[in-house]
Amino acid sequence: MTALVLIAYSVVSGLRSTVLKGLQLQGAAHAIAGENPISFCNVFFISQLMIGLALLIAEPVDVGREIDGLRPRVRLAIAADAFLGCFLAPLAFYMALDQLAVITQTLLFSLTLPASALLALWWLKERLPERFALSLALILAGLVVGRVFGSGLGMGMDQLPGLLWALLAVIATATRNCLRRQLAAQHLSRGLTGGVTNLAGALVFGLIALLVYGPQHFFLLQLWWVIGVIVIYGLTLSLGTEILRQLSTARFSVTQVAFAGSASVVVTVLTAAVFLHEPLTPGVLASLGLILLGVLQRHLSGPSPSPS
């Protein structure tokens, strides 16, 4: 039964992009006063509010006292982590998904792994993972195969805005990954590093929605909106992914969790093909296979050495 936690983590996290794209398309087909009722403002306000409150409740430490004891440098790092992980990366993720196919965006986001490693090499002076060059070559080869043979993968010049948003999301996530490695040494509570940061992001998204759309943007009580945004995306997928990730980390090895996280890519691609009717051609499958091999090959012969 314990293995079901890892399987659920793969499935739930893999469904997020497909469901969010489906909500974007549903909102475009049911515009209200000429506006799409699905926006990055209300989607991330709701999902991050749920995650932030859950993390604060799950680890009820005196967060205020913990904040007061932080050194200025650590406070700055937490603020940067909140900006990158709870505002810029979600915003870029949403905008990329709005302009690209789910499969295209998902394959492009495989660049986060090598980007994080290269940034850690330059910034944190960490060693590159074992067989990094092979991993990078396989991921890039997968993207080239998808571009040339994907048939509908959508990486042409007409997709340039979406590609730039995807690249921004990759850079923001890679930078946050390095910040998180630094913050891990501070042994801070999840209530601070996850709860407070997500609540701060939710507040920013809420303010943007109020300024741009007005308060009615939060009171769209159509049944599909409530079920899709609050129940499915916010509660089940966003909060569910966070809970299952923590349960998986506590019960399984780093390698097993890495495999489960990579399997979520397969879930995303397959569900996008089934539910959104995105093309699943031999070129796309070959691209996916090469990228997965690039991501996972360093785990296939055992764990790599610890960074220096």
Side-chain angles (χ1 to χ4, degrees):
M1 292 296 291
T2 305
L4 292 178
V5 173
L6 206 59
I7 296 171
Y9 170 58
S10 295
V11 173
V12 171
S13 59
L15 284 170
R16 291 181 66 179
S17 291
T18 300
V19 169
L20 183 54
K21 183 69 173 184
L23 287 172
Q24 290 175 340
L25 296 173
Q26 176 76 1
H30 297 82
I32 297 177
E35 297 287 350
N36 190 329
I38 301 297
S39 72
F40 68 88
C41 305
N42 54 24
V43 166
F44 292 127
F45 169 77
I46 290 170
S47 61
Q48 291 187 358
L49 183 64
M50 289 181 176
I51 293 173
L53 289 174
L55 289 177
L56 282 174
I57 294 171
E59 196 164 290
V61 299
D62 189 345
V63 174
R65 185 168 52 198
E66 195 174 26
I67 293 174
D68 290 339
L70 294 176
R71 300 191 305 274
R73 185 174 180 179
V74 178
R75 290 189 185 189
L76 182 61
I78 293 174
D81 175 66
F83 172 74
L84 291 169
C86 299
F87 177 71
L88 186 58
L91 171 62
F93 169 85
Y94 184 97
M95 297 304 293
L97 189 62
D98 189 45
Q99 300 179 52
L100 298 173
V102 172
I103 294 176
T104 302
Q105 186 221 41
T106 301
L107 297 181
L108 284 171
F109 275 24
S110 64
L111 291 171
T112 302
L113 176 66
S116 298
L118 289 172
L119 188 58
L121 172 68
W122 171 76
W123 183 8
L124 306 179
K125 309 305 178 187
E126 293 186 357
R127 290 168 50 190
L128 289 174
E130 188 179 357
R131 300 186 296 276
F132 173 79
L134 175 59
S135 179
L136 179 60
L138 287 168
I139 291 173
L140 293 177
L143 293 176
V144 170
V145 167
R147 171 67 182 89
V148 176
F149 303 106
S151 179
L153 195 54
M155 293 188 191
M157 289 304 295
D158 58 325
Q159 301 293 319
L160 183 59
L163 297 175
L164 292 176
W165 278 113
L167 180 60
L168 180 60
V170 167
I171 294 172
T173 304
T175 306
R176 191 199 192 197
N177 288 342
C178 290
L179 272 173
R180 289 240 150 187
R181 293 184 195 182
Q182 289 186 317
L183 287 172
Q186 304 299 319
H187 303 291
L188 301 171
S189 68
R190 290 175 299 171
L192 175 57
T193 59
V196 171
T197 53
N198 273 281
L199 288 178
L203 177 62
V204 171
F205 284 123
L207 289 174
I208 293 174
L210 288 174
L211 292 173
V212 175
Y213 300 104
Q216 69 276 8
H217 203 53
F218 294 102
F219 298 100
L220 304 171
L221 299 181
Q222 296 94 332
L223 183 61
W224 71 267
W225 191 95
V226 173
I227 294 177
V229 175
I230 298 178
V231 178
I232 297 179
Y233 187 81
L235 185 61
T236 305
L237 300 184
S238 296
L239 182 57
T241 295
E242 178 64 25
I243 293 172
L244 290 168
R245 182 187 65 80
Q246 294 189 18
L247 290 174
S248 298
T249 302
R251 288 168 169 78
F252 298 94
S253 68
V254 173
T255 299
Q256 289 173 314
V257 176
F259 271 86
S262 299
S264 69
V265 176
V266 179
V267 174
T268 302
V269 170
L270 293 179
T271 55
V274 172
F275 296 107
L276 301 180
H277 309 293
E278 294 190 5
L280 189 61
T281 64
V284 170
L285 292 175
S287 175
L288 177 62
L290 285 169
I291 288 172
L292 281 175
L293 186 59
V295 171
L296 296 174
Q297 57 83 27
R298 72 189 186 97
H299 296 291
L300 297 178
S301 299
S304 58
S306 299
S308 59

